[in-house]
Amino acid sequence: CAAPMLFLYFELGMRNFLTEPINAVILFFLGFTVTTPYSLITSVMASDLGRHPCLNGNSKAAATMTAILDGVGSFGAVLQGLVIGWISDRFGWGATFLMLMTFAIFSALCLISPSV
């Protein structure tokens, strides 16, 4: 859902239809479509990995797994800011939104369960 919202946001901005109320509504829904899946995925991953049989119920290992996942997510956010800044400076905001839409679609495809 994030890719269509990014496309809508980009198109409205390019056509100068982005008023303050419309901007606020679209940014709210864009944040919802990005943050909600991220939160669900990281919490489920931490829960699944923390309950792995090799941990034998070790609660410290589960906490460590949660910290590692959050740390990787935070590091990704730092890199994202640097990459977006570089791409927008070098290629413009159109390329930046295209990159974000591409990664949103790729992320959605990664969530599809493989059929055996």
Side-chain angles (χ1 to χ4, degrees):
C1 290
M5 290 300 295
L6 278 166
F7 180 75
L8 178 65
Y9 189 70
F10 176 70
E11 284 297 315
L12 289 176
M14 292 300 290
R15 299 182 197 293
N16 293 325
F17 292 141
L18 211 54
T19 63
E20 286 187 24
I22 292 173
N23 188 29
V25 169
I26 290 179
L27 285 177
F28 172 79
F29 284 110
L30 187 56
F32 183 78
T33 60
V34 171
T35 306
T36 303
Y38 169 77
S39 297
L40 289 172
I41 290 167
T42 55
S43 62
V44 168
M45 282 178 58
S47 176
D48 283 349
L49 293 173
R51 292 183 191 162
H52 195 273
C54 71
L55 298 178
N56 296 326
N58 186 349
S59 62
K60 288 184 179 182
T64 301
M65 187 55 57
T66 303
I68 290 171
L69 287 172
D70 283 342
V72 169
S74 298
F75 184 68
V78 169
L79 286 180
Q80 174 185 334
L82 295 172
V83 170
I84 286 175
W86 180 78
I87 288 178
S88 65
D89 285 344
R90 178 115 185 188
F91 303 106
W93 281 106
T96 304
F97 275 92
L98 181 62
M99 179 201 65
L100 290 173
M101 286 184 272
T102 302
F103 282 122
I105 291 168
F106 178 71
S107 297
L109 290 174
C110 287
L111 294 176
I112 295 173
S113 177
S115 59
V116 178

